[in-house]
Amino acid sequence: MKIAFVNIGGSMFTFHNGIAALSAYIKHHSEHEVALIDMIGHPRPLKFQHQVEIIQPDVIAFTAMTIYWPNVRALATRAKQMSSAKTIVGGYHPTFAPEECISHPAMDVICRGEGEEALLAFLNALERGEDYTRIPNLWVKKDGNLYKNDIRPLIANMDELPFWDRDLFNYGSWYDAMPTSLSDLDRPERTVTLAASRGCYYDCTYCSNEPLKAMYGGKTFVRTRSVDHIIKEMKMLKARYNPDLFEFQEELFVAHLDWLEEFADKYKREIGLPFNISYREELARTKNMELLAKAGCNSIAFGVECGSEEYRKKYLTRRMSNRKIEEAFDRTHELGMKALSFNIIGMPFETYDLIQETIQLNRRLQADYLQWFIYQPYPGTILYNICKENDLLLPGYTSSYISLRPGIKLTHITREEFQQCMEDFMALQREQQGYDWLDIAAQSNETLVNVRYATEEERYDIMDLYNQTFQRDHGINRWEWFRRNPEGAEKTPSPSPTGRTSSEPR
């Protein structure tokens, strides 16, 4: 049985943790063949068709965040027009919008929740000619019937899972050209990503963890790998890829003191490289932070999200005070680690003054890296339901994480005020770190790539801001630059994190 995973995304980052985990599990437990159809950047149908013709898969597997569901639909439709392969989609969107996904005529099966065991059972059943309509986690369309199966228990022992399959992505060949880690955009570093756990203890209303916990019936949701299992993988990664830095990409790095004490000792002694994590301000207690610093932690990413204590508590279920946030950043800096600040604007009922509170809090925090995103409502989350109940949802789906348009109807702030808040946030970024949101977007290429798939109004918004940034960074209007350089876009200077360009026009 041959399965082809389709990697869809809006940026230049090829490696996909979820696909790598699924591929590793299938290879570890079976003889099924696994292939990758890489559609990163933008999903060109002809390229997709060519890859399907070459691979000739029995199953074409998609993974879909909500923002990428329109692209998945289009490619699945193309697959059905040219291939007899079964189509299956897993990930966030089919988990929380299952009816929408399974009702699409080009989709045969959807997978809800964690997919390792369900996908393997599906492939085994297909290969043996057995019934696959009763596999837990799967919704299946067959012979005009729809079979909706319950969710299986979570995999409890993380050490039983094989290491991510990086070979599927030809990790070693593209790795050298991979962009730097988030905390060090101004200097090149070879960064390898991994995860120490799955799940999160908290219930932020904009995040999937709260509905996921509800879907799994309150069972143990946060599961952590043993220190020895992680060290074993990192030794392998260190030998194969010679990284400068490791980055843990789970929502929340492990907080148990016993685990941290063991990790700090063994990591420093056996790995000895800097690493990055994500953490909660409430967990930034002295002992935890000292252990992270002892182990060699390079940077900690904190979700600040909003500068108003009242709004955070009422709408985001984030109950920490601003003082607690400032103490977390201060403690991080005092121990010689970098502190990263991530924020959201354009949330339900947010006003101009509320966003300005967020900007002013970030001014006080003096983060080493500051980023903000425009809120996008995700089905299944509490905040999505609030938007739905108050008629704040917009038709369709945003085409990118990096969007310059509000993700919902803004009822308490004008478009002009919202634009001013974005400009104020970018000004603070330039003031504190020398580059801003659009520089980072240009580096990942996601904003410009998604112009192709944006609405007409989105195109105008994106290109207008891009033109403004080009003028600011290069001291010349973009169209005037093209007039002077008729050879075209291949030599177009790109904004760099430092604000410098090697091909600046004279």
Side-chain angles (χ1 to χ4, degrees):
M1 188 62 55
K2 182 181 290 186
I3 180 172
F5 287 103
V6 184
N7 188 17
I8 294 178
S11 74
M12 64 191 293
F13 297 101
T14 298
F15 186 64
H16 189 289
N17 297 352
I19 293 176
L22 292 169
S23 177
Y25 194 84
I26 291 168
K27 290 181 177 180
H28 185 75
H29 291 283
S30 74
E31 298 298 322
H32 301 307
E33 294 182 59
V34 181
L36 179 71
I37 300 176
D38 195 351
M39 303 302 293
I40 285 294
H42 50 87
R44 299 190 297 273
L46 289 179
K47 176 185 175 183
F48 174 76
Q49 180 174 328
H50 179 63
Q51 290 296 307
V52 171
E53 289 171 347
I54 291 173
I55 296 169
Q56 292 291 307
D58 302 294
V59 174
I60 300 176
F62 300 90
T63 178
M65 285 294 292
T66 296
I67 58 174
Y68 299 133
W69 171 240
N71 293 337
V72 169
R73 289 185 317 212
L75 293 183
T77 300
R78 178 63 64 98
K80 283 301 183 183
Q81 293 169 350
M82 58 168 296
S83 169
S84 61
K86 295 291 184 184
T87 53
I88 181 171
V89 61
Y92 185 94
H93 200 63
T95 296
F96 294 112
E99 298 285 355
E100 178 183 7
C101 295
I102 197 63
S103 65
H104 193 274
M107 202 56 65
D108 297 315
V109 183
I110 69 167
C111 180
R112 303 181 67 221
E114 292 185 352
E116 285 97 342
E117 294 174 322
L119 183 57
L120 179 63
F122 175 60
L123 294 176
N124 289 343
L126 279 178
E127 184 173 59
R128 298 165 186 162
E130 298 173 352
D131 178 35
Y132 56 85
T133 63
R134 302 299 180 185
I135 297 173
N137 286 42
L138 301 187
W139 285 19
V140 179
K141 284 188 306 194
K142 188 179 182 184
D143 301 328
N145 297 312
L146 175 59
Y147 302 88
K148 301 179 180 180
N149 295 295
D150 293 335
I151 296 294
R152 69 177 67 233
L154 291 164
I155 298 173
N157 187 352
M158 292 289 97
D159 288 2
E160 293 178 354
L161 295 175
F163 302 150
W164 291 343
D165 179 13
R166 298 167 194 270
D167 293 336
L168 182 67
F169 297 84
N170 201 12
Y171 196 82
S173 66
W174 67 268
Y175 170 75
D176 286 335
M178 187 174 66
T180 59
S181 70
L182 286 176
S183 61
D184 290 280
L185 285 170
D186 57 344
R187 63 189 182 95
E189 286 191 331
R190 297 163 57 90
T191 305
V192 167
T193 60
L194 72 162
S197 63
R198 288 186 183 180
C200 179
Y201 294 106
Y202 296 94
D203 298 311
C204 301
T205 59
Y206 50 85
C207 178
S208 65
N209 280 302
E210 191 278 334
L212 276 173
K213 279 184 273 193
M215 187 176 77
Y216 280 104
K219 303 294 192 301
T220 301
F221 185 63
V222 179
R223 293 143 294 147
T224 304
R225 298 167 61 187
S226 69
V227 172
D228 287 339
H229 193 252
I230 295 170
I231 295 296
K232 182 180 178 181
E233 181 182 17
M234 298 181 93
K235 285 182 176 179
M236 178 273 291
L237 294 172
K238 186 177 178 181
R240 289 186 67 179
Y241 303 114
N242 189 30
D244 299 310
L245 184 77
F246 282 108
E247 189 156 284
F248 288 93
Q249 292 199 324
E250 61 263 69
E251 298 99 325
L252 180 69
F253 192 68
V254 185
H256 299 298
L257 274 179
D258 291 345
W259 191 97
L260 280 176
E261 288 174 347
E262 181 184 357
F263 176 79
D265 177 62
K266 291 182 177 178
Y267 183 89
K268 183 175 182 179
R269 180 162 31 89
E270 301 182 40
I271 304 298
L273 292 177
F275 62 93
N276 300 338
I277 67 166
S278 296
Y279 224 40
R280 285 275 294 212
E281 290 86 347
E282 301 97 318
L283 298 176
R285 298 182 288 268
T286 301
K287 183 62 174 178
N288 297 50
M289 301 295 277
E290 287 176 348
L291 288 170
L292 289 168
K294 173 186 173 183
C297 183
N298 172 67
S299 72
I300 301 178
F302 294 104
V304 175
E305 316 306 7
C306 176
S308 165
E309 293 180 0
E310 181 181 356
Y311 187 96
R312 281 200 310 269
K313 182 178 180 179
K314 181 176 181 180
Y315 290 110
L316 307 184
T317 325
R318 295 177 65 87
R319 299 178 178 85
M320 73 287 284
S321 66
N322 284 353
R323 180 180 178 183
K324 179 70 70 175
I325 295 173
E326 293 179 55
E327 288 175 351
F329 275 72
D330 289 343
R331 189 169 293 123
T332 303
H333 287 141
E334 288 167 2
L335 290 168
M337 298 176 287
K338 298 175 185 175
L340 286 59
S341 172
F342 288 85
N343 304 267
I344 306 173
I345 65 173
M347 293 183 284
F349 319 121
E350 201 171 28
T351 65
Y352 174 86
D353 289 340
L354 284 173
I355 298 177
Q356 290 297 323
E357 282 188 56
T358 305
I359 294 171
Q360 293 309 313
L361 175 58
N362 277 276
R363 185 177 298 280
R364 298 195 299 273
L365 295 177
Q366 290 292 308
D368 298 282
Y369 174 85
L370 165 64
Q371 187 56 292
W372 55 274
F373 297 92
I374 297 175
Y375 169 70
Q376 304 297 333
Y378 282 90
T381 62
I382 294 173
L383 208 54
Y384 175 93
N385 293 334
I386 290 174
C387 292
K388 186 175 182 179
E389 291 164 4
N390 289 274
D391 191 29
L392 301 181
L393 297 177
L394 297 170
Y397 298 113
T398 298
S399 59
S400 171
Y401 280 118
I402 303 177
S403 173
L404 304 178
R405 288 167 50 83
I408 59 173
K409 299 173 187 176
L410 299 181
T411 56
H412 289 61
I413 184 173
T414 67
R415 186 66 176 267
E416 291 73 24
E417 288 175 329
F418 191 70
Q419 175 75 24
Q420 183 61 54
C421 287
M422 288 195 290
E423 293 174 359
D424 291 345
F425 235 135
M426 286 192 283
L428 180 60
Q429 286 178 302
R430 294 193 296 273
E431 173 188 325
Q432 292 189 345
Q433 61 199 28
Y435 52 89
D436 63 28
W437 186 98
L438 282 171
D439 293 328
I440 299 162
Q443 185 183 45
S444 76
N445 206 30
E446 185 163 353
T447 296
L448 302 185
V449 161
N450 278 281
V451 171
R452 180 186 297 267
Y453 301 98
T455 65
E456 183 175 2
E457 187 179 355
E458 282 178 322
R459 290 192 188 103
Y460 283 125
D461 289 346
I462 292 171
M463 294 313 297
D464 182 54
L465 267 174
Y466 177 62
N467 291 336
Q468 293 176 33
T469 305
F470 193 100
Q471 173 83 34
R472 185 201 74 211
D473 288 344
H474 308 300
I476 188 172
N477 180 277
R478 189 165 66 98
W479 307 116
E480 176 64 16
W481 190 92
F482 276 113
R483 187 185 67 80
R484 296 185 191 180
N485 299 269
E487 61 272 23
E490 288 187 5
K491 294 186 177 181
T492 303
S494 297
S496 71
T498 59
R500 297 186 295 272
T501 174
S502 58
S503 55
E504 202 164 309
R506 302 298 179 191

